[in-house]
Amino acid sequence: MTSTQTGSATAVGAERAAHRDPNVLRWLGAYASSAVGDNVYYLALSWAAVQAGTPAQAGLVTALSAVPRAVLMLGGGVVADRFGPRRVLISSDAVRCAAVLAVALLLLAGRPGLWPLAVLALVFGAVDAVMMPALGALPTRITGRGQLARVHGMRSLAVRLANVVGAPLGGLGVALGGTAGAFGLAGLLFAASLPLLIALRVAKQPADDAHARGSAWSDLTGGLRHIRGHRVLLPLIVVIALSDLGFVGPLNVGLTLLADERGWGAGGVGWVLAGFGTGAGAASLLLTARGRVPRAGLVLSVSGVVSAAAISSLAFVPNVAVAVAVALSIGLISGLNGVLCGALLQAESGPAYVGRVTSVATFFSLGVAPLSFPLTGTAIGLWGTGPVFVASAAVCGLGGTVGLCDRRSPSATPRAHARPGTPR
């Protein structure tokens, strides 16, 4: 056990503003470095695939990671809870670093074709399946419960920064060193997160000492039973599933088709997405500064209904300027909604189940909700943008309505108190 992993429970779990906590800032630095690396990697992968194959083959390679990610996601939650989120994240970034550097060396040595890119995409999908639940489980180990909303706001800001910085950085890597250089840059960014993760002090949970465990299947079913029997988690998962199912189709496929229908062009799409990103960033900044939201369950539900109304109205705006304003409001509301969902999931989950609960929520967000993309495109082709946006908004609003009808919804993000366990 290293000196960075020892100390008292108070050192990790006491109420301390997350943005002033060196331990949380180490986690944020590791997360930001890894997230920028993700953006560089995806640009390098898509560029390398286009250079090595046909457009159809390139599309297949870039989509391959979705398969293991969806299939293995629930099992990833079991891994995160069994071995601890910090250990899983260190292993995940180490594997990703080694994988992209290996492909960079292959590209430097010659023209290996599409097969190493396909293998790399599959590896990343499998690693994502265990990494994402671990990312969800770690904040409860490094800060007090009352700081979870602030931590999620900080994480969302890091995502926005990574999206802004990562793609241009990847493009610069390709321009200066080719795809091998871009993959090498991604590997260095993943490597940069490792010392920060190793230096983290994390609270030890009672379940960490339970060496006599059942099978992985029993752990998985136990996590599902925990959600099913919980007064808050089950309706919250339903809210997340419905909200994402109604949200991602219009804001991804639907927006492009709407812009084409109205003659806004690619520039119009860019401005609308910029409005959405600005609103989401503002929500993250607000929650980072405030830290706690009174009546969080009610705010979450109301924001879902209001967001649905805004999504529906997007199909009927008269011009790009109004569309940008509507997208700004959608980003602000959905940004608030997303941070509160993450904070409530972690705060309400039993300490030994956070990884599995996160994996179920992520499965619906990244595994099920993207299935609406082809359905949205087909439906718009048949009935037009207006009816499809309204129908999608109704599904999204149903999620908020479920929350409003559930009287057991938490009234606030949890207040801080000393957390059980000792750092390890």
Side-chain angles (χ1 to χ4, degrees):
M1 182 179 295
T2 66
S3 60
T4 58
Q5 294 168 275
T6 59
S8 65
T10 304
V12 175
E15 178 68 358
R16 183 176 188 179
H19 61 290
R20 296 188 182 127
D21 187 341
N23 200 44
V24 174
L25 294 178
R26 281 191 289 270
W27 162 80
L28 186 65
Y31 179 78
S33 180
S34 185
V36 174
D38 271 334
N39 281 270
V40 174
Y41 154 76
Y42 282 115
L43 186 142
L45 180 71
S46 59
W47 186 262
V50 167
Q51 298 300 307
T54 66
Q57 290 172 330
L60 179 61
V61 167
T62 54
L64 276 177
S65 60
V67 177
R69 184 167 57 226
V71 171
L72 302 175
M73 183 64 70
L74 297 181
V78 173
V79 173
D81 286 334
R82 276 202 170 204
F83 298 101
R86 174 179 166 275
R87 187 182 303 172
V88 170
L89 289 175
I90 292 171
S91 301
S92 298
D93 266 346
V95 170
R96 300 197 314 164
C97 176
V100 294
L101 290 180
V103 171
L105 290 174
L106 284 175
L107 291 171
L108 282 175
R111 302 176 67 88
L114 285 170
W115 71 265
L117 302 178
V119 172
L120 181 64
L122 290 172
V123 168
F124 262 68
V127 172
D128 281 349
V130 296
M131 190 174 185
M132 289 177 179
L135 283 171
L138 189 61
T140 59
R141 304 278 191 112
I142 61 173
T143 192
R145 288 164 59 90
Q147 293 296 314
L148 286 175
R150 176 172 278 136
V151 166
H152 277 272
M154 294 165 68
R155 177 180 171 180
S156 184
L157 281 175
V159 171
R160 302 297 165 191
L161 175 65
N163 290 341
V164 170
V165 173
L169 196 58
L172 181 63
V174 171
L176 296 179
T179 50
F183 279 126
L185 177 59
L188 291 177
L189 288 164
F190 296 141
S193 73
L194 295 176
L196 295 171
L197 290 171
I198 291 169
L200 275 183
R201 292 178 292 111
V202 296
K204 187 177 181 181
Q205 302 292 354
D208 293 336
D209 289 328
H211 297 296
R213 296 178 181 270
S215 65
W217 177 254
S218 67
D219 278 2
L220 175 58
T221 55
L224 296 176
R225 284 195 300 270
H226 177 68
I227 294 172
R228 186 182 62 192
H230 199 282
R231 68 183 186 87
V232 173
L233 290 178
L234 181 59
L236 186 57
I237 291 290
V238 173
V239 168
I240 291 171
L242 290 173
S243 298
D244 283 340
L245 193 61
F247 181 84
V248 299
L251 267 294
N252 286 273
V253 177
L255 179 60
T256 303
L257 294 175
L258 177 67
D260 181 64
E261 179 183 286
R262 300 293 181 84
W264 295 345
V269 175
W271 278 110
V272 174
L273 289 177
F276 175 81
T278 301
S284 301
L285 186 61
L286 175 65
L287 285 168
T288 298
R290 181 173 175 80
R292 185 175 182 273
V293 179
R295 301 187 63 81
L298 178 61
V299 171
L300 176 64
S301 302
V302 171
S303 68
V305 175
V306 175
S307 177
I311 291 170
S312 176
S313 68
L314 191 59
F316 303 98
V317 295
N319 52 53
V320 174
V322 178
V324 171
V326 173
L328 182 70
S329 69
I330 294 173
L332 185 63
I333 298 166
S334 63
L336 173 67
N337 190 290
V339 170
L340 289 180
C341 278
L344 288 173
L345 272 179
Q346 293 175 7
E348 295 294 332
S349 301
Y353 295 94
V354 182
R356 279 166 283 180
V357 172
T358 303
S359 72
V360 173
T362 308
F363 172 77
F364 283 109
S365 297
L366 297 181
V368 176
L371 297 177
S372 65
F373 290 175
L375 295 177
T376 300
T378 302
I380 288 177
L382 292 173
W383 299 298
T385 53
V388 175
F389 269 66
V390 170
S392 298
V395 175
C396 188
L398 182 60
T401 305
V402 169
L404 288 172
C405 294
D406 181 20
R407 297 181 181 274
R408 301 168 298 178
S409 178
S411 61
T413 49
R415 295 182 183 275
H417 53 76
R419 292 171 52 253
T422 56
R424 60 180 175 88

